[in-house]
């Protein structure tokens, strides 16, 4: 066969080969374009969601200014029958926000205070209160001793264990996946899962009762405590009160809340109990920490964002934002508050 007769066949095969390559490249470019479009849509939605959060923060800070509104949030936080939420439609979806009083828990950062803003001082009263809480939840006393000592060492600024049960650098660097204690205020509650003595079961038991504030003070608002979680009341009575008596104290809360801690301790359940005056001082009827949980939807996309707000002498200020489970922006802690940080 003449070579010239085979050329059309070769040309056809070559043409098909080139078409296949070009088609493959086209498909790849099309997929990449689709991915870029999806990314930009997602990115735009995230940007809009974040702006919606900032808008809700402005509304929230205004709402938190009147004391009566703050009381309403405390009562809503302690009862499933009271709602304290707001929602609105946007051009592309819906924004839903819920307010929570966050003085309904034990502030872990209160375990260590500062003397003259420099020297660490362990709060023995708050340490004992946390141990009482653990024991009221039937966590073994020895386990709570380890956890409390380790928490103190995690927060304080020195590298010396508090006692034989504490844990510092040497304990954590010897682990299979080593790390160091932060030696500063705890920023986000899940951080305590890293401390010596903590495990998933104990963390799950303690979690509903614990929180971390950007301060070293302990202020538990009795009006924000839920009857579902009465163990803080049991701990405050040094475990002299049983579960049902503590629950009844919270269920018997007057309409509009307790006006004072004296009214609270005048409840018959406390008759005959020897209560520490120092532990009593950790209770109040006022709150200064709040949280706005925001859910933003746009079609099939959903964003969960959290804004944490402190009531300061100059008004409400945002001190932290979270996107989903992840910390986005820690704006300030009490150790930096003197510098006027916060928005």
């Amino acid at each position: 066969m003449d070579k010239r007769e085979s050329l059309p066949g070769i040309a056809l095969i070559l043409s098909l080969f080139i078409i296949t390559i070009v088609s493959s490249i086209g498909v790849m470019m099309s997929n990449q374009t689709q991915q870029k479009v999806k990314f930009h849509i997602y990115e735009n939605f995230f940007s809009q969601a974040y702006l919606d959060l900032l808008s809700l923060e402005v509304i929230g800070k205004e709402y938190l200014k009147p004391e009566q509104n703050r009381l309403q949030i405390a009562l809503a936080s302690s009862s499933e029958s009271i709602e304290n939420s707001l929602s609105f439609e946007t051009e592309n979806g819906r924004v839903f926000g819920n307010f929570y009083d966050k003085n309904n828990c034990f502030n872990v950062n209160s375990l260590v205070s500062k003397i003259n803003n420099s020297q660490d001082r362990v709060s023995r009263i708050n340490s004992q209160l946390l141990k009482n809480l653990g024991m009221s939840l039937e966590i073994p006393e020895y386990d709570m001793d380890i956890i409390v000592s380790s928490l103190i060492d995690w927060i304080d600024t020195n590298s010396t264990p508090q006692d034989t049960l504490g844990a510092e650098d040497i304990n954590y660097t010897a682990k299979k996946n080593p790390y160091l204690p932060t030696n500063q205020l705890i920023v986000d509650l899940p951080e305590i899962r890293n401390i010596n003595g903590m495990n998933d079961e104990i963390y799950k038991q303690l979690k509903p009762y614990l929180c971390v504030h950007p301060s070293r003070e302990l202020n538990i608002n009795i009006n924000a405590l839920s009857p579902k979680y009465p163990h803080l009341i049991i701990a405050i009575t040094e475990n002299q009160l049983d579960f049902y008596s503590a629950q009844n104290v919270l269920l018997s809360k007057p309409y509009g809340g307790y006006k004072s801690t004296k009214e609270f301790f005048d409840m018959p359940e406390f008759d005959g109990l020897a209560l520490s005056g120092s532990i009593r001082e950790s209770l109040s009827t006022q709150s200064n920490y709040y949280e706005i949980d925001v859910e933003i939807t746009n079609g099939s996309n959903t964003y969960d964002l959290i804004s944490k707000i402190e009531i300061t002498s100059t008004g409400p200020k945002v001190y932290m934002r979270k996107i989903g489970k992840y910390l986005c922006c820690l704006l300030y802690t009490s150790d930096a508050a003197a510098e006027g940080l916060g928005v």
Side-chain angles (χ1 to χ4, degrees):
M1 183 175 64
D2 195 318
K3 290 183 179 180
R4 285 176 295 180
E5 293 179 0
S6 64
L7 287 178
I10 295 173
L12 178 60
I13 293 172
L14 185 60
S15 299
L16 292 173
F17 181 68
I18 293 172
I19 290 171
T20 301
I21 293 175
V22 171
S23 298
S24 299
I25 294 172
V27 170
M28 290 173 61
M29 291 180 67
S30 176
N31 289 338
Q32 289 177 355
T33 301
Q34 289 178 14
Q35 290 298 321
K36 286 181 179 179
V37 170
K38 287 181 180 179
F39 174 78
H40 285 303
I41 292 172
Y42 188 78
E43 185 179 39
N44 290 336
F45 173 59
F46 171 77
S47 299
Q48 185 59 52
Y50 192 72
L51 290 175
D52 288 338
L53 172 66
L54 298 182
S55 300
L56 206 58
E57 281 180 359
V58 174
I59 298 171
K61 287 192 291 184
E62 285 299 315
Y63 182 78
L64 286 168
K65 286 181 179 179
E67 187 175 328
Q68 185 58 38
N69 288 350
R70 298 201 294 271
L71 174 60
Q72 180 67 22
I73 294 174
L75 297 175
S77 298
S78 67
S79 173
E80 294 182 352
S81 62
I82 304 175
E83 289 190 2
N84 206 81
S85 59
L86 58 87
S87 64
F88 55 88
E89 301 293 327
T90 65
E91 182 180 347
N92 300 311
R94 178 175 174 272
V95 177
F96 176 81
N98 216 333
F99 290 86
Y100 295 100
D101 189 307
K102 298 309 291 181
N103 279 94
N104 61 348
C105 46
F106 180 92
N107 176 24
V108 178
N109 285 326
S110 69
L111 292 172
V112 181
S113 61
K114 288 282 188 182
I115 302 175
N116 299 323
N117 294 321
S118 58
Q119 185 180 349
D120 293 327
R121 179 173 63 185
V122 175
S123 173
R124 300 300 174 189
I125 294 170
N126 294 349
S127 298
Q128 187 58 53
L129 182 56
L130 181 53
K131 290 179 183 180
N132 292 346
L133 173 62
M135 287 185 287
S136 75
L137 292 165
E138 300 184 353
I139 298 172
E141 183 176 0
Y142 182 70
D143 290 349
M144 284 307 302
D145 287 342
I146 293 175
I147 288 170
V148 172
S149 293
S150 298
L151 280 169
I152 291 168
D153 286 330
W154 189 271
I155 298 168
D156 68 22
T157 55
N158 63 60
S159 56
T160 304
Q162 280 298 308
D163 49 40
T164 56
L165 300 178
E168 282 288 357
D169 295 12
I170 190 170
N171 302 88
Y172 297 107
T173 54
K175 291 179 177 290
K176 183 178 180 180
N177 298 309
Y179 53 91
L180 291 170
T182 61
N183 294 125
Q184 63 181 12
L185 292 181
I186 294 170
V187 173
D188 202 19
L189 187 61
E191 187 179 327
I192 72 171
R193 302 181 76 162
N194 296 313
I195 66 133
N196 194 42
M198 186 65 72
N199 59 43
D200 290 342
E201 182 181 351
I202 293 177
Y203 178 76
K204 186 178 179 180
Q205 288 177 277
L206 290 173
K207 184 181 176 182
Y209 298 94
L210 303 184
C211 53
V212 291
H213 296 154
S215 74
R216 300 174 185 271
E217 298 176 354
L218 180 60
N219 173 35
I220 301 171
N221 186 346
I222 50 180
N223 287 324
L225 296 177
S226 169
K228 289 175 61 178
Y229 302 106
H231 287 278
L232 265 179
I233 299 300
I234 298 173
I236 287 163
T237 66
E238 299 177 82
N239 297 2
Q240 298 176 76
L241 214 59
D242 62 48
F243 178 90
Y244 294 105
S245 297
Q247 191 175 57
N248 188 59
V249 169
L250 298 174
L251 286 169
S252 303
K253 180 167 43 185
Y255 179 80
Y258 290 103
K259 305 301 181 187
S260 66
T261 54
K262 181 182 182 304
E263 181 184 3
F264 175 74
F265 284 113
D266 281 344
M267 293 288 291
E269 283 82 359
F270 296 112
D271 290 347
L273 298 185
L275 302 178
S276 165
S278 299
I279 288 182
R280 282 180 181 232
E281 292 175 3
S282 65
L283 299 183
S284 79
T285 57
Q286 302 288 327
S287 294
N288 52 341
Y289 291 101
Y290 297 87
E291 180 176 297
I292 307 176
D293 288 9
V294 183
E295 181 183 89
I296 300 171
T297 57
N298 179 0
S300 60
N301 295 319
T302 300
Y303 259 113
D304 294 315
L305 303 105
I306 294 174
S307 179
K308 299 194 176 188
I309 299 174
E310 179 183 11
I311 307 299
T312 70
S313 58
T314 57
K317 288 186 175 181
V318 176
Y319 68 88
M320 180 193 288
R321 297 187 184 104
K322 291 182 70 176
I323 300 173
K325 297 180 181 179
Y326 303 100
L327 178 63
C328 159
C329 324
L330 175 65
L331 303 178
Y332 71 92
T333 66
S334 64
D335 293 340
E339 300 174 14
L341 302 178
V343 296

